[in-house]
Amino acid sequence: MRKVQTVVICYVLAVLVCCQPPPISLSPLPSRIDRMEGHASLVISGDQGTARSKFSFLFQLPDRGRIDVTGALGSVLYRIVIHEGEAYFVVPSKKVYWQGQEEEIIDKFMGFRLNLAEMINLLSGNWSEQKMLHNEDLGNWSFTKDHDGRIVSGQREDLWFKIEEFIGDTPFARRLLFKHPLSTGQVKVLSINLNRPIKPSVLSTEFIERYQPKTWAEIQELLNHAH
């Protein structure tokens, strides 16, 4: 009987080890980062309970990006497309979109206002480079660094974040915690690649020629019925 139990335990442990995602490696970092793409999970807790989702991201620095939020079966529930200052919240299955400002569209996703550069900064930890790219200051952000000079936490007014885990010895976040008066949450990066070639159409906004514009209230009703 003990031999059977030992075999079962060994089998279960082997399965668990095989199911673990491979470690993320970004070393050595390229001297210049033009693109970031990968997958992550998002957990947000607030007055309405806890919401969990997974998403893919693709950022073409400094001002283009795409985020696909997927459902339980892997289908895209909604997509965020930001292209040189234009921002869209898209429901591909219904061929509709809502156009707004970067900050308000990311707010619908994260639960607080960020622009695209700030979202890239949160994941990459490279706030100084983004500052130079945009030729602007960092607003009201204040930061705490570790002994290696990596940003481990930051605050802007009532928004606070902390890097709970880095990717290796890089400044990139593996697990990021955030807190806001309306919510708390966590982003966990599951995979990430830098500077991989992409098709130009991936970040295109030509879909607006085929999709219908909607108000945010109409988009929200569609998403509520999708769950």
Side-chain angles (χ1 to χ4, degrees), residues 4-33:
V4 173
Q5 289 176 334
T6 302
V7 170
V8 171
I9 292 172
C10 290
Y11 174 77
V12 171
L13 290 175
V15 169
L16 290 175
V17 170
C18 290
C19 291
Q20 291 294 319
I24 301 175
S25 176
L26 289 177
S27 299
L29 287 174
S31 59
R32 175 187 173 94
I33 297 175

Side-chain angles (χ1 to χ4, degrees), residues 121-158:
N121 296 343
L122 283 176
L123 294 180
S124 70
N126 205 348
W127 293 81
S128 59
E129 181 172 326
Q130 286 301 306
K131 177 180 177 180
M132 289 186 289
L133 282 170
H134 287 262
N135 193 28
E136 59 188 18
D137 61 33
L138 296 174
N140 297 320
W141 284 102
S142 59
F143 304 102
T144 301
K145 297 182 178 181
D146 66 8
H147 61 278
D148 294 319
R150 299 181 301 185
I151 291 175
V152 294
S153 65
Q155 186 167 0
R156 184 195 62 194
E157 299 174 349
D158 51 8

Side-chain angles (χ1 to χ4, degrees), residues 15-203:
V15 169
L16 290 175
V17 170
C18 290
C19 291
Q20 291 294 319
I24 301 175
S25 176
L26 289 177
S27 299
L29 287 174
S31 59
R32 175 187 173 94
I33 297 175
D34 295 312
R35 281 176 300 281
M36 295 167 46
E37 65 175 312
H39 294 82
S41 63
L42 172 66
V43 179
I44 300 178
S45 298
D47 294 339
Q48 305 301 316
T50 299
R52 302 172 185 272
S53 60
K54 289 187 176 181
F55 64 95
S56 63
F57 58 89
L58 171 58
F59 302 131
Q60 174 78 48
L61 280 62
D63 54 11
R64 288 190 288 164
R66 170 172 155 169
I67 297 169
D68 283 9
V69 178
T70 54
L73 300 178
S75 59
V76 177
L77 295 178
Y78 64 86
R79 174 176 296 149
I80 292 171
V81 179
I82 298 173
H83 190 280
E84 298 175 353
E86 297 180 347
Y88 304 89
F89 192 107
V90 186
V91 183
S93 62
K94 302 297 182 181
K95 295 189 181 300
V96 297
Y97 69 90
W98 169 61
Q99 184 174 4
Q101 299 297 316
E102 285 182 29
E103 291 88 347
E104 59 183 341
I105 284 184
I106 293 178
D107 183 20
K108 305 303 183 187
F109 169 53
M110 296 289 294
F112 49 84
R113 295 174 71 91
L114 289 175
N115 59 39
L116 178 62
E118 289 170 323
M119 187 153 190
I120 293 171
N121 296 343
L122 283 176
L123 294 180
S124 70
N126 205 348
W127 293 81
S128 59
E129 181 172 326
Q130 286 301 306
K131 177 180 177 180
M132 289 186 289
L133 282 170
H134 287 262
N135 193 28
E136 59 188 18
D137 61 33
L138 296 174
N140 297 320
W141 284 102
S142 59
F143 304 102
T144 301
K145 297 182 178 181
D146 66 8
H147 61 278
D148 294 319
R150 299 181 301 185
I151 291 175
V152 294
S153 65
Q155 186 167 0
R156 184 195 62 194
E157 299 174 349
D158 51 8
L159 171 61
W160 171 90
F161 75 86
K162 178 184 178 182
I163 309 300
E164 191 74 3
E165 181 183 354
F166 289 97
I167 298 176
D169 58 358
T170 76
F172 279 73
R174 165 75 166 176
R175 190 157 63 96
L176 180 148
L177 308 181
F178 60 84
K179 185 185 298 184
H180 187 266
L182 299 179
S183 62
T184 60
Q186 170 184 280
V187 174
K188 184 174 182 180
V189 175
L190 305 175
S191 68
I192 188 168
N193 290 285
L194 303 177
N195 295 347
R196 289 208 306 193
I198 61 169
K199 295 180 180 180
S201 59
V202 174
L203 294 173

